[in-house]
Amino acid sequence: MFKYRAEITKGEEIRYISHLDYASILQRAICRAKLPAAYSEGFNPHMKIAFASALAVGVTSDAEYMDMELTKPLCQPEVFDRLRAELPKGVQLLRLKTFEGKHKALMAEVELAEYEVLVPLLGTREQAGLAVERFNEASAVQYRRVTPKKTREIEVKQYIRKVGILGEGAELRLSMQIKITPSGSIKPGEILEILTESFQLPVDARKATIHRSALLGQGKPLIELV
């Protein structure tokens, strides 16, 4: 098999589609590009593609990654051009690299995600700065994650390196570095909820927009690991 790793985007046009729908967009583009995709064996074969850390619905990204396998050798520029031409609005192919041999699963390579959160500021920047500072200095922060199936208590600080404030303006722009570990992670929306409810960050969290700017492993973008 011939393996390729793609760095792609999820833009504003498709902000509200699910991860499964996003994967389906890529599969259909591969088919339209007439690339010789490899499939699994068995009664219900699947295209051999894999993604890194799934995005929450409503989050955009400049750093999505996909591994795919082809059954025939095609040069990188041809695969790049054919696939890029079939992608819809909201999905851009930024980079594509070939790789050989055994390699860690793409999801297993992710160690850190970087996000930017833009949210309307209701108070002063000084108040916001103090709230973020208190969060960063806290030795432990608990969060109760409630899902339809279960409720779970999470110690947040094990998953986040730092929250920062970027730039000026009427809106508050936050940076978040979030660890992704075998034991789990935390979502940027959950961090914003904690900052607002437990540390009195003066923002309108309901109107926040979240963007993933990087997915890293060993301190590098995932495409540079192959």
Side-chain angles (χ1 to χ4, degrees), residues 2-223:
F2 304 90
K3 301 177 182 179
Y4 301 79
R5 177 164 294 180
E7 183 179 68
I8 48 186
T9 69
K10 182 180 180 183
E12 289 286 343
E13 298 90 341
I14 56 170
R15 173 190 289 276
Y16 294 107
I17 70 168
S18 70
H19 176 68
L20 288 177
D21 287 337
Y22 183 71
S24 180
I25 285 174
L26 271 298
Q27 291 178 25
R28 291 197 298 268
I30 290 168
C31 291
R32 287 195 301 270
K34 295 182 169 56
L35 295 174
Y39 285 80
S40 62
E41 298 179 356
F43 181 74
N44 186 25
H46 291 83
M47 188 181 291
K48 287 190 175 181
I49 61 173
F51 293 86
S53 180
L55 275 181
V57 173
V59 180
T60 58
S61 175
D62 286 333
E64 297 306 287
Y65 294 92
M66 175 185 73
D67 283 354
M68 65 178 179
E69 294 186 24
L70 303 182
T71 59
K72 298 178 182 178
L74 295 176
C75 66
Q76 184 272 355
E78 181 181 358
V79 176
F80 183 93
D81 290 341
R82 285 166 63 174
L83 181 56
R84 182 177 61 174
E86 298 300 334
L87 293 172
K89 288 183 178 180
V91 185
Q92 289 183 296
L93 178 59
L94 303 177
R95 291 192 283 177
L96 183 74
K97 289 181 70 174
T98 60
F99 63 100
E100 299 178 353
K102 291 185 178 180
H103 212 276
K104 287 176 67 176
L106 185 55
M107 289 182 67
E109 291 189 323
V110 185
E111 296 174 350
L112 187 74
E114 296 183 351
Y115 294 90
E116 289 188 9
V117 179
L118 189 65
V119 61
L121 182 61
L122 301 180
T124 67
R125 296 188 70 84
E126 182 180 4
Q127 290 171 327
L130 289 173
V132 169
E133 184 179 348
R134 287 196 301 271
F135 173 84
N136 286 330
E137 290 179 350
S139 58
V141 175
Q142 294 294 320
Y143 176 74
R144 176 170 290 183
R145 179 181 287 165
V146 180
T147 67
K149 292 185 177 181
K150 62 181 179 180
T151 298
R152 205 180 139 208
E153 293 288 340
I154 299 173
E155 203 299 290
V156 171
K157 296 306 288 283
Q158 65 180 314
Y159 296 128
I160 187 155
R161 282 189 180 175
K162 187 179 180 182
V163 176
I165 296 179
L166 305 173
E168 300 290 336
E171 292 186 295
L172 190 68
R173 187 180 296 274
L174 301 170
S175 64
M176 298 182 184
Q177 294 182 323
I178 297 176
K179 299 176 186 177
I180 299 174
T181 75
S183 66
S185 188
I186 192 80
K187 298 176 182 179
E190 292 171 335
I191 295 295
L192 183 61
E193 181 183 339
I194 293 163
L195 283 165
T196 305
E197 295 183 0
S198 300
F199 292 87
Q200 292 74 54
L201 183 70
V203 298
D204 187 350
R206 297 168 301 173
K207 297 181 180 179
T209 58
I210 302 173
H211 181 77
R212 182 150 73 190
S213 55
L215 269 182
L216 307 174
Q218 302 176 42
K220 300 176 181 179
L222 299 185
I223 201 163

